[in-house]
Amino acid sequence: MAINWFPGHMHKARKEIKKIMPQMDLIIEVLDARLPFSSENPLVPALRGDTPVIKVLNKRDLADPEITAQWQAWLEKERGVRAITMTHNQRSEALEILRLANDMTPGHDRQKSALRVMILGIPNVGKSTLINTLAGRPAAKTGNEPAVTRAQQAIKLPENVLLYDTPGFLWPKLEPEACGYRLAISGAIRSAVIEFEDVALFAADYLLQAYPEQILARYGFEETPVDGLALMDGIAAKRRFFRRGGVPDLHKVAEVLLNEFRAGKLGRMSLETPAMVERETAEAEVSR
């Protein structure tokens, strides 16, 4: 099942961002450290030109640290890009972004004009929380549901920085197809538009392959399930999630598996690696 979520306000946000991006001195893009490629906005490389970009891999504490290091190196292969990692609501780390902004815009005289910075991020990636941390005050709305920010706003930061906040949005077609699943697993896509069992089965298959020991430890298995469906059936048995007649309640299992992944209860896990993404992208090109 291909997963897409592109309501009207996202289409409007995309048009506005495309219009004002050429006026920016610097771009900050907030990524999910567990899925940096899938959470990266395709508008940025297409429109930024020579504008420098800081890629912030947020939720570092939830991601596999070895894979996060691989992603930092991979992202910085692109000219004019610096990649840093962050955990939730750490002001000292957030202020490092402003220091890095100074280093990346050496020719800008802030005595004459404000440094214009655009901040981008997919829904539910922690962009608004980062803005509030940078500003030192509640300057942007936050929430557990994706797509809280609906309109652009300009926020004054110290040292004559003008930060342009933008609504979090996805894109009309999420590809490769696996990207849509990873975004759904992370919570970037509104729950009402996804099939929980389908998304959880994708997660179960991947996590069982990539992090078998952590999965076995979390759910108390003595032997490794043969596949994702067997894992979900096993979780139903362990947690006693059954419907009438003893049928495993896979919807309940799906909710638990996804929520526990998002909360970090399964351990520090990443949903993609640079090598995996390069392979998937190549395969998608061939199939076109």
Side-chain angles (χ1 to χ4, degrees), residues 20 29 36 41 48 52 63 73 91 98 103 127 129 140 147 155 159 164 234:
I20 70 168
E29 183 172 16
N41 190 320
R48 75 177 181 92
R91 182 159 174 78
L98 297 181
D103 294 344
K127 174 175 63 69
T129 299
I155 300 163
E159 301 180 32
Y164 290 81

Side-chain angles (χ1 to χ4, degrees), residues 171-245:
W171 19 102
K173 186 176 182 181
L174 302 172
E175 56 181 4
E177 190 172 296
C179 290
Y181 278 92
R182 293 177 193 133
L183 288 163
I185 293 167
S186 75
I189 298 177
R190 195 175 293 279
S191 298
V193 302
I194 68 173
E195 294 288 343
F196 266 77
E197 292 94 327
D198 189 39
V199 172
L201 182 58
F202 182 96
D205 279 326
Y206 172 76
L207 296 176
L208 193 60
Q209 179 183 3
Y211 300 100
E213 293 182 2
Q214 289 168 256
I215 292 295
L216 297 187
R218 176 64 185 175
Y219 296 111
F221 290 101
E222 295 181 0
E223 296 183 359
T224 305
V226 294
D227 57 22
L229 183 57
L231 171 61
M232 293 179 69
D233 284 338
I235 294 172
K238 292 285 185 180
R239 299 283 179 94
R240 300 183 183 278
F241 295 154
F242 294 107
R243 292 176 175 168
R244 185 173 298 176

Side-chain angles (χ1 to χ4, degrees), residues 58-59 61 86-94 126 128-134 136 142:
N58 200 24
K59 305 185 181 181
D61 52 316
M86 278 193 60
T87 54
H88 178 73
N89 206 23
Q90 294 292 318
R91 182 159 174 78
S92 61
E93 292 184 346
S128 294
T129 299
L130 174 57
I131 291 170
N132 293 340
T133 305
L134 287 170
T142 62

